[in-house]
Amino acid sequence: MGDWQQITGGVTAARGYRAAGITAGLKASGLPDLALILSDVDAIAAGVFTTSHVKAACVDYCRQILQAKHSARAILCNAGQANAATGHQGVKDAQETAELLAKALNIDPNLILLASTGVIGQRIKMDVLRSGIPQVVAALSETGSDAAAGAIITTDLVKKSIALETTIHDASGGLRQRPVRIGGIAKGSGMIHPNMATMLSFVTCDAAVAPTLWQQMLTRAADRSFNSITVDGDTSTNDSLIALANGQSRTPAITEMGAEAEKLEAMLTEVCQYLARAIARDGEGATCLIEVQVTGADDELAARQIAKTIVGSSLVKSAIFGCDPNWGRIAAAAGRAGVPFEQENLQVKLGDFLLLENGQPLPFDKAAASAYLKQAKMGAYLQADTVLISVSVGNGHGTGKAWGCDLSYDYVKINAEYTT
């Protein structure tokens, strides 16, 4: 645990934010489908988006806004239609959405960021959205984070939300400190794979941070969280991580790296990692979370690459689902990660079971190791429902983590029937 404490409130825990989530009628299910997050003042804005060459209109829209200026007031997210691969009309729909919301909020359209999730190839139901925007604006509340978290999900089984608080020295000097808060919500369950995975996440912060520094912090946090999870190897068209920092904590502006910046970035990373783990655990059809920890690599990037390859292996994921402690699949995945290491330095552990050391297989209690997997899947062993795989590849200083889930029969069923 870092130098912070967990608090309630999600994206409205930070000062100067309101949020809302309503049922506008965009989803055929009749479930909530339109979310809004609003800062009381202009906030510094940063974003990390999908690397896919097939991108949703909202992704291109946000990139253009953030390239032109590094500030925003509002984030609007619709669920039900992805508005990806929808051509010129999809672009016009995104632009109209921003203009409609700007008019309802009486702010500049260039202070609005957009996100969409749902079926690729489907435009937003604009007639429904036009009537929904005034409703979601009217519903804005300082306690609206939970409603917003519920309105952005699609195949998710649970809402995903977190808020943390730390303290930063104020401008008067001395020992006086003021609280700073970061909150976040996220959605994601399928089509999850770096870099970015099929997910949406919105983060609010009440610190004052220089735009370039805030973007750098968010990019690093994304690499250590959302870009380190995988469910099924498919990268989405709509992935978006957007973070606002509005300065309403009244703490001194953080303009360069130092002790206070490091503290804030560590808390931002923890918020992102918490949400990333929640997405991985909620993978479609998943029965457990898998965490892979890699040590001994030349650097952090190499270690994360090995970890992501292992946790993304369909064979490893299937073995975990079947409670089969097949360490050979783990070793094979590490070997094909594209990171050179000496085989004789490879070590593999499953939970507390040492399976391979110095590149040599070791005798182990297969029944007990299988029982570890079964108990973890039931949430009854050590780290609740987390299966821990530890891999060492040498004596380097590089360490990294990645998260995923097992691959069950239900994953195929869910995705076979997704649009039918």
Side-chain angles (χ1 to χ4, degrees):
M1 186 68 178
D3 187 18
W4 54 73
Q5 62 179 345
Q6 186 168 338
I7 58 175
T8 60
V11 291
T12 51
R15 293 166 182 79
Y17 292 96
R18 290 173 287 157
I22 67 164
T23 300
L26 297 166
K27 288 181 182 176
S29 64
L31 295 172
D33 49 24
L34 188 61
L36 176 61
I37 300 169
L38 179 68
S39 172
D40 292 342
V41 299
D42 290 6
I44 298 302
V48 180
F49 302 94
T50 181
T51 56
S52 173
H53 292 292
V54 180
K55 299 180 289 294
C58 57
V59 169
D60 286 332
Y61 175 86
C62 286
R63 279 180 166 152
Q64 292 170 4
I65 292 292
L66 292 177
Q67 285 172 2
K69 59 190 302 181
H70 301 286
S71 59
R73 284 280 305 275
I75 303 169
L76 182 73
C77 177
N78 73 279
Q81 300 86 44
N83 198 23
T86 50
H88 296 301
Q89 190 56 54
V91 174
K92 292 180 180 179
D93 290 343
Q95 293 171 340
E96 182 185 352
T97 298
E99 290 167 0
L100 289 169
L101 181 59
K103 184 176 181 180
L105 292 171
N106 193 28
I107 63 174
D108 185 340
N110 292 324
L111 291 172
I112 290 170
L113 299 174
L114 303 175
S116 299
T117 182
V119 179
I120 295 170
Q122 291 188 1
R123 288 175 51 199
I124 302 171
K125 297 177 181 177
M126 292 303 294
D127 55 339
V128 175
L129 188 68
R130 291 184 189 104
S131 62
I133 284 177
Q135 297 175 45
V136 76
V137 170
L140 282 167
S141 165
E142 292 180 353
T143 58
S145 180
D146 189 62
I152 66 175
I153 62 177
T154 49
T155 58
D156 306 54
L157 297 179
V158 297
K159 302 173 187 177
K160 302 166 181 69
S161 176
I162 181 70
L164 301 177
E165 180 182 271
T166 191
T167 56
I168 287 180
H169 288 287
D170 70 10
S172 64
L175 299 177
R176 185 180 176 187
Q177 293 185 319
R178 296 180 64 89
V180 168
R181 298 170 180 171
I182 299 180
I185 60 174
K187 67 84 55 180
S189 185
M191 203 183 281
I192 304 289
H193 188 68
N195 288 302
M196 299 271 287
T198 286
M199 45 72 56
L200 301 177
S201 183
F202 310 123
V203 175
T204 59
C205 175
D206 53 20
V209 191
T212 300
L213 185 59
W214 187 234
Q215 180 65 59
Q216 292 170 347
M217 287 181 176
L218 188 67
T219 299
R220 288 190 291 263
D223 284 340
R224 293 166 178 160
S225 58
F226 298 112
N227 282 339
S228 293
I229 59 174
T230 181
V231 167
D232 48 21
D234 280 298
T235 298
S236 172
T237 56
N238 290 56
D239 310 324
S240 301
L241 166 61
I242 299 171
L244 305 180
N246 67 5
Q248 293 302 287
S249 65
R250 306 301 181 189
T251 51
I254 298 174
T255 59
E256 59 185 16
M257 289 306 296
E260 303 293 33
E262 290 174 2
K263 181 187 290 189
L264 189 69
E265 182 174 339
M267 191 164 70
L268 175 64
T269 300
E270 176 61 24
V271 166
C272 291
Q273 287 185 344
Y274 178 95
L275 295 171
R277 290 193 299 266
I279 289 173
R281 175 58 187 90
D282 197 26
E284 290 169 342
T287 66
C288 66
L289 176 69
I290 303 171
E291 179 175 313
V292 179
Q293 300 178 353
V294 173
T295 59
D298 289 341
D299 53 38
E300 180 185 348
L301 184 63
R304 283 206 314 266
Q305 181 61 35
I306 296 171
K308 287 190 289 187
T309 303
I310 294 170
V311 83
S313 164
S314 294
L315 291 177
V316 172
K317 291 153 66 69
S318 298
I320 299 299
F321 176 68
C323 299
D324 178 10
N326 188 342
W327 60 263
R329 293 181 175 181
I330 300 172
R336 67 173 172 82
V339 177
F341 61 85
E342 298 299 327
Q343 181 172 323
E344 56 266 29
N345 291 331
L346 184 62
Q347 179 190 88
V348 176
K349 290 179 66 178
L350 179 64
D352 292 330
F353 296 91
L354 183 60
L355 312 178
L356 182 75
E357 188 169 30
N358 297 323
Q360 298 294 317
L362 299 176
F364 69 97
D365 188 335
K366 184 174 181 180
S370 180
Y372 161 69
L373 295 175
K374 291 177 182 176
Q375 290 171 322
K377 283 157 63 70
M378 293 185 298
Y381 193 92
L382 293 179
Q383 304 179 51
D385 58 357
T386 302
V387 170
L388 179 61
I389 296 172
S390 304
V391 173
S392 178
V393 296
N395 298 314
H397 297 294
T399 64
K401 295 180 182 180
W403 298 272
C405 60
D406 57 344
L407 184 59
S408 73
Y409 309 129
D410 284 342
Y411 176 82
V412 176
K413 178 177 174 60
I414 290 167
N415 284 284
E417 300 173 354
Y418 185 65
T419 63
T420 57

